[in-house]
Amino acid sequence: MSQQTPDAPAGSVLPPAGSGKRVRVHHLTAAKAAGERLTMLTAYDAPTARLFDEAGLDMLLVGDSIGDNMLAHENTIPVTLEEMIPPARAVARSTKRAMVVVDLPFGSYEGGPQQAYDAAVRVMKETGAHAVKFEGGARVADQVRLITDAGIPVVGHLGFTPQSENILGGKRVQGRGDDAAERLCEDAVALQEAGVVAVVLEMVPAPVAERVTEILTVPTIGIGAGPSCDGQVLVWLDMAGMGDWSPRFAKQFGQVGAALRQAAQTYASEVRSGSFPAGEHSYQQ
């Protein structure tokens, strides 16, 4: 039986947990206007998505980070659209409140608006998700515009864009220096004018992220971008302490990996000793 989730703060513009009401696009802009922080985590499967939904997360991202976090790739680049569909479907089916956002993986939108539209339509039709996300600024504005005109919400992604890590020279902070910061702001405005409903800012200096947040009317979601963004997102494995390492910008809010390892060790020990299964775990007739 799931635990009771505390109600949202008095006066919250977001649907309260347990209300059965979905977080929608208009809630995002209302939350920004009200100064209410948005919460987002990645999710890649049904049990995790259900737990996060019950915990009151506003948005769940089925990220192409599935590549280096769940599929044992070195980065996100090898992930295909076909690999994104099943986890996105599982997450969308397992949530009642959270807005489910799905990444378009590398190679599924860069070719132009029609390619991006086709990929986005497939995601929406085959998964039941509520929005798509992809990387880039002004260069993908036409893609954003066509997809948005078709009625599909788009979340932008600026700063460090993992699909471009080879041309960026690795996992490096973006937007450093006046010129780079100005370009990032211009890209953010271009995305907003094209119709995005939110913009993820990854590995961006906090003052630059604060500036972008000020000039946009749509919310910013930070990951390694300081405290001034309108919301925050983390890869859930980093948040929950599933490994021995996590990025500098992440905080481990639990030690789930250690607890899971201990549970598995205890299980193996009891099976080997013969203490499991005991009588209460067995059918007698």
Side-chain angles (χ1 to χ4, degrees), residues 41-109:
L41 285 172
T42 63
Y44 313 109
D45 58 66
T48 307
R50 189 175 299 112
L51 287 173
F52 292 167
D53 193 53
E54 291 172 353
L57 270 294
D58 302 318
M59 305 169 76
L60 293 180
L61 172 63
V62 186
D64 59 356
S65 52
I66 193 173
D68 48 353
N69 284 278
M70 306 298 286
L71 301 180
H73 294 307
E74 290 187 2
N75 51 45
T76 66
I77 295 172
V79 177
T80 66
L81 186 60
E82 285 69 27
E83 289 174 315
M84 293 297 300
I85 299 295
R89 184 184 295 129
V91 170
R93 286 176 174 175
S94 305
T95 59
K96 296 179 180 179
R97 177 181 179 274
M99 174 185 285
V100 177
V101 182
V102 182
D103 269 338
L104 298 189
F106 177 69
S108 67
Y109 62 91

Side-chain angles (χ1 to χ4, degrees), residues 104 109-118 120 134-150 152 154 187 189-196:
L104 298 189
Y109 62 91
E110 294 89 345
Q114 188 62 47
Q115 183 195 33
Y117 168 83
D118 291 342
F134 50 93
E135 301 175 1
R139 69 180 177 86
V140 297
D142 288 342
Q143 285 92 319
V144 172
R145 192 170 291 108
L146 178 60
I147 294 172
T148 301
D149 286 347
I152 301 173
V154 177
D187 276 334
V189 171
L191 288 177
Q192 178 172 274
E193 290 177 346
V196 297

Side-chain angles (χ1 to χ4, degrees), residues 130-184:
H130 313 111
V132 297
K133 180 176 79 66
F134 50 93
E135 301 175 1
R139 69 180 177 86
V140 297
D142 288 342
Q143 285 92 319
V144 172
R145 192 170 291 108
L146 178 60
I147 294 172
T148 301
D149 286 347
I152 301 173
V154 177
V155 175
H157 187 151
L158 294 172
F160 173 65
T161 46
Q163 295 175 12
S164 303
E165 73 166 75
N166 288 319
I167 202 166
L168 294 176
K171 296 177 172 63
R172 303 173 62 186
V173 175
Q174 301 296 306
R176 283 176 165 158
D178 291 344
D179 290 344
E182 184 61 28
R183 286 195 300 272
L184 196 147

Side-chain angles (χ1 to χ4, degrees), residues 255-269:
Q255 293 298 320
V256 176
L260 186 58
R261 185 184 303 110
Q262 182 60 56
Q265 289 173 343
T266 302
Y267 163 76
S269 177

